[in-house]
Amino acid sequence: MKLPFRKSFLSLETTRNRHLGTSPHPERINPDTWTDEYYFLNHPGQADIQTDLFFDYQNNLKAYPIWQKMAPRPSTSHAGPLGTLRFLVSGCRS
């Protein structure tokens, strides 16, 4: 079952569709987004890795809290007057 799925899931057409989705303006999306992904998906071993991740999604979802604890915290920003962007000092230090 995995082989036909893998062939479709990792195809250039499917990769393109993941990026374009139902966008009302697909012409605004840089084709590099899906061609770069397609290139990396075709590196040795990636087909197995991506297929295993897809079929084990329920366990990946359960692991999100663990991964989030391990990931660095992003900087915090707030929009100020007239849409100016202000970064909090504490966010810059994290």
Side-chain angles (χ1 to χ4, degrees), residues 15-75:
T15 305
R16 179 180 175 271
N17 288 338
R18 274 195 297 275
H19 288 270
L20 297 181
T22 57
S23 171
H25 302 286
E27 71 281 358
R28 295 181 185 173
I29 301 173
N30 186 335
D32 288 349
T33 60
W34 66 82
T35 56
D36 286 355
E37 179 183 335
Y38 179 73
Y39 170 78
F40 288 108
L41 286 174
N42 284 280
H43 278 151
Q46 280 300 310
D48 289 332
I49 292 168
Q50 298 304 321
T51 304
D52 289 347
L53 286 171
F54 182 84
F55 281 106
D56 194 30
Y57 190 76
Q58 66 178 351
N59 289 320
N60 296 334
L61 194 57
K62 291 175 191 173
Y64 278 14
I66 297 165
W67 297 337
Q68 288 167 341
K69 286 179 186 175
M70 294 176 0
R73 297 186 64 176
S75 296

